[in-house]
């Protein structure tokens, strides 16, 4: 959406931040011990609840439909040909002979059964799970309206908030469905003060994301590793 244009006001540029890839923030340069604290509890909101978005799973559904359609059509054609006094197709005769002659403990029979079970379990998992793990549902404050926020975009928003805290040199944000992990490097100020500011800023940022289930927050702050 675009804002109404008012000639008497000039648009103020947004503060610039270091460019990052989608869903990625500045990496910590070195590994070192970090000062940690207990996660901030998730913020509770009184807005409407919303479930996760369900994936349409078009590709698995299309593949399964094509396989079932092709196999069923071929089998029906062969059965109709046999009913019309034509010989059965070679593949069906071979398959019938193999099934009749091979014992149940044969390696190929067991391998085929295991493959069928694995495919069946995979289809069941796809049927009962929503998918779209990268899409976080937002609160349903208005009936009939559903909204979601990409996890990478949410992490980028929180990263921009964190990098503005005084004393933060670099920061990395991992946005999960139930927890936000923040690892920051502070080159000045006391670590406890920086961590407290990050708790406040990021806690407010998580609340303002408008998520249906706001994740908990875990912040780790450390000093840069010394060179040499």
């Amino acid at each position: 959406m675009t804002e109404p244009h008012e000639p008497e006001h000039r648009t103020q540029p947004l503060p610039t931040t270091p460019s990052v890839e989608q869903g990625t923030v500045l990496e910590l340069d070195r590994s070192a011990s970090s000062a940690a604290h207990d996660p901030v509890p998730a913020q509770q909101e009184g807005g409407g609840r919303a479930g996760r978005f369900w994936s349409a799973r078009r590709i698995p559904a299309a593949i399964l439909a094509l396989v079932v359609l092709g196999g069923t059509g071929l089998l029906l054609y062969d059965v109709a040909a046999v009913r019309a006094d034509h010989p059965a197709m070679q593949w069906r005769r071979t398959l019938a002979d193999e099934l009749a002659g091979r014992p149940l403990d044969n390696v190929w029979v067991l391998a085929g059964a295991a493959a069928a079970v694995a495919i069946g379990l995979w289809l069941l998992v796809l049927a009962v799970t929503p998918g779209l793990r990268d899409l976080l549902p937002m609160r349903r404050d208005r009936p009939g309206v559903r909204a979601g926020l990409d996890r990478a975009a949410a992490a980028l928003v929180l990263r921009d908030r964190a990098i503005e805290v005084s004393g933060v040199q670099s920061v990395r944000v991992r946005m999960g469905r139930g927890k936000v992990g923040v690892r920051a490097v502070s080159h000045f100020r006391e670590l406890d003060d920086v961590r407290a500011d990050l708790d406040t800023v990021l806690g407010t940022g998580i609340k303002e994301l408008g998520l249906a289930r706001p994740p908990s927050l875990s912040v780790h702050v450390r000093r840069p590793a010394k060179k040499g």
Side-chain angles (χ1 to χ4, degrees):
M1 298 178 62
T2 57
E3 296 291 336
H5 179 67
E6 298 181 4
E8 63 273 17
H9 295 285
R10 296 179 59 86
T11 303
Q12 298 296 327
L14 295 174
T16 58
T17 57
S19 61
V20 294
E21 296 180 358
Q22 180 71 11
T24 307
V25 295
L26 293 178
E27 296 287 339
L28 301 180
D29 294 333
R30 300 169 186 84
S31 175
S33 60
S34 61
H37 78 299
D38 294 332
V40 174
Q43 313 256 348
Q44 298 297 328
E45 290 293 330
R49 298 179 63 83
R52 288 175 56 188
F53 289 84
W54 281 74
S55 172
R57 312 213 191 260
R58 293 182 177 89
I59 295 178
I63 293 176
L64 179 61
L66 290 175
V67 171
V68 172
L69 181 62
T72 304
L74 188 61
L75 181 61
L76 289 177
Y77 174 81
D78 193 44
V79 171
V82 172
R83 292 293 183 180
D85 296 330
H86 292 284
M89 291 183 177
Q90 182 62 39
W91 68 269
R92 195 153 72 98
R93 295 199 302 269
T94 302
L95 180 61
D97 293 339
E98 291 291 337
L99 293 177
R102 290 182 181 270
L104 293 180
D105 58 351
N106 184 267
V107 175
W108 290 105
V109 174
L110 294 177
V117 170
I119 294 173
L121 290 176
W122 176 61
L123 293 175
L124 287 176
V125 169
L126 293 182
V128 300
T129 54
L132 297 180
R133 297 176 59 87
D134 289 337
L135 195 60
L136 301 174
M138 302 179 70
R139 291 193 305 270
R140 300 189 66 176
D141 296 330
R142 303 193 179 199
V145 177
R146 294 192 66 194
L149 183 62
D150 185 75
R151 282 169 56 182
L156 188 58
V157 170
L158 295 180
R159 178 261 170 201
D160 289 342
R161 293 286 189 93
I163 203 67
E164 294 177 354
V165 173
S166 178
V168 174
Q169 183 182 40
S170 63
V171 63
R172 181 175 61 186
V173 178
R174 291 186 179 274
M175 187 75 184
R177 291 189 294 118
K179 183 177 179 180
V180 179
V182 179
R183 294 185 177 273
V185 175
S186 175
H187 56 305
F188 70 93
R189 296 183 66 199
E190 292 294 330
L191 295 182
D192 290 339
D193 295 339
V194 175
R195 187 166 53 248
D197 289 348
L198 286 172
D199 287 341
T200 302
V201 169
L202 295 177
T204 302
I206 292 174
K207 180 179 178 180
E208 292 177 352
L209 291 177
L211 300 177
R213 296 179 180 86
S216 61
L217 175 63
S218 176
V219 178
H220 299 261
V221 183
R222 67 171 176 86
R223 293 295 187 197
K226 294 182 179 180
K227 296 182 179 181

